[in-house]
Amino acid sequence: QERFQPLTDLLAELTKDTHEPYTNETMKGMGFGELRDALLAIDPLNVEHVRRCNMAEAEFWRRSEGYQTKASDELLQFDCGGQQWVFEVCFPTGTFEHNSGADMEYMEKLLQGIEELGIAAPAPIEQRWSASSSSLLSPAHGPPDGLHSWIGIIMYLPLDDEGQRRNITEAFTHQYSDLMRKVGMDYNYASHWAKLETPSSVWQLVDLQLHYAQRYPLELFHQVREILDPRRILSTPLLDLALGKKS
């Protein structure tokens, strides 16, 4: 199809001199996620290569623009591709009536950091917005008229190259995620609870515990947990690390 052409053309060009080149025949039936994963796997931590892949993906989405009406279970789906690392943070950005500008400032600093550090950042960097939540432990907790922004980053893992997987994991969990946290400190960020990872060092653990002690009412949480879940049935080792112990 025409909309896949930016991806298929680039994949054919980059593999034409290899022992297993991609051809129109071998790419027949491959979906967007499969094509993108195959492209990135060629050199996933090379900044210039990833930039070319991102440009091809952007053109794919431009060619995919349009309108259609279908049943929700047919339309509200997305091809995420194969295995991946993801990290997402949330932070306040004013109110619906008066956006503080933190959402765009955060993104601009993140993009600047990616350029300065030479991070091979594949698309997409996702950004979305939500209303505040009344839940005290929600990353989006805030006043009723509050506005929060969520930013998520990603790196894709090839299935059959353990060396690449280790290198990508190292780049994502340290350099890329560390940049997200560093930028987020100026905006009172919090990690999406489902995407919180175990700290890789004692210093990261200390930073996480201090930050969450300021971000959430943890003393109140511990008091309530002693009553409702004294045996820690509804907990995990990672949550216990992040939330600390009752003082």
Side-chain angles (χ1 to χ4, degrees):
Q1 299 180 25
E2 181 184 354
R3 64 194 185 107
F4 288 102
Q5 189 174 352
L7 301 167
T8 55
D9 284 355
L10 183 58
L11 188 55
E13 175 190 341
L14 294 176
T15 61
K16 63 183 179 181
D17 296 325
T18 67
H19 65 284
E20 290 185 1
Y22 280 89
T23 64
N24 290 335
E25 185 63 30
T26 58
M27 288 185 286
K28 187 179 297 184
M30 292 179 67
F32 160 71
E34 293 175 290
L35 291 167
R36 193 234 353 257
D37 288 352
L39 278 168
L40 289 171
I42 294 171
D43 201 352
L45 294 178
N46 182 301
V47 174
E48 290 305 317
H49 173 70
V50 173
R51 182 177 284 117
R52 292 187 70 185
C53 295
N54 288 345
M55 292 174 64
E57 180 173 341
E59 180 59 28
F60 163 80
W61 288 117
R62 275 190 287 271
R63 297 185 183 194
S64 300
E65 292 177 351
Y67 300 89
Q68 57 180 320
T69 302
K70 290 183 178 180
S72 61
D73 62 336
E74 298 178 21
L75 191 59
L76 300 180
Q77 299 186 47
F78 178 72
D79 183 0
C80 293
Q83 296 180 5
Q84 53 202 239
W85 280 107
V86 291
F87 183 51
E88 186 174 15
V89 300
C90 176
F91 55 94
T93 183
T95 66
F96 284 96
E97 296 296 328
H98 301 286
N99 189 322
S100 68
D103 47 1
M104 293 297 100
E105 289 177 11
Y106 191 117
M107 182 61 78
E108 288 172 356
K109 290 181 180 179
L110 176 62
L111 294 174
Q112 181 181 356
I114 289 171
E115 293 287 342
E116 292 175 349
L117 295 173
I119 296 174
I125 298 176
E126 297 181 349
Q127 184 167 25
R128 58 192 176 94
W129 289 261
S130 74
S132 293
S133 169
S134 60
S135 172
L136 296 179
L137 288 180
S138 169
H141 174 68
D145 63 343
L147 180 66
H148 283 72
S149 183
W150 303 71
I151 293 179
I153 57 174
I154 192 167
M155 278 189 174
Y156 302 91
L157 292 165
L159 295 177
D160 55 359
D161 190 322
E162 287 301 321
Q164 278 189 341
R165 291 171 67 89
R166 284 193 300 271
N167 292 337
I168 293 169
T169 297
E170 178 75 15
F172 185 85
T173 58
H174 291 84
Q175 190 180 38
Y176 204 178
S177 295
D178 284 351
L179 173 62
M180 282 275 282
R181 285 187 282 265
K182 180 180 178 181
V183 174
M185 293 301 290
D186 292 334
Y187 299 97
N188 196 26
Y189 87 99
S191 168
H192 187 307
W193 282 113
K195 296 170 184 176
L196 183 66
E197 295 292 338
T198 302
S200 59
S201 70
V202 173
W203 303 115
Q204 276 195 3
L205 173 59
V206 171
D207 287 344
L208 176 65
Q209 290 178 338
L210 288 174
H211 179 59
Y212 274 24
Q214 297 173 344
R215 187 69 162 69
Y216 296 115
L218 294 188
E219 281 302 312
L220 176 60
F221 166 77
H222 290 307
Q223 292 172 17
V224 173
R225 183 160 73 163
E226 284 297 320
I227 298 171
L228 301 179
D229 187 24
R231 299 175 63 183
R232 306 295 186 267
I233 294 173
L234 302 176
S235 188
T236 67
L238 175 55
L239 282 179
D240 289 339
L241 273 178
L243 301 177
K245 298 180 179 179
K246 183 179 179 181
S247 60

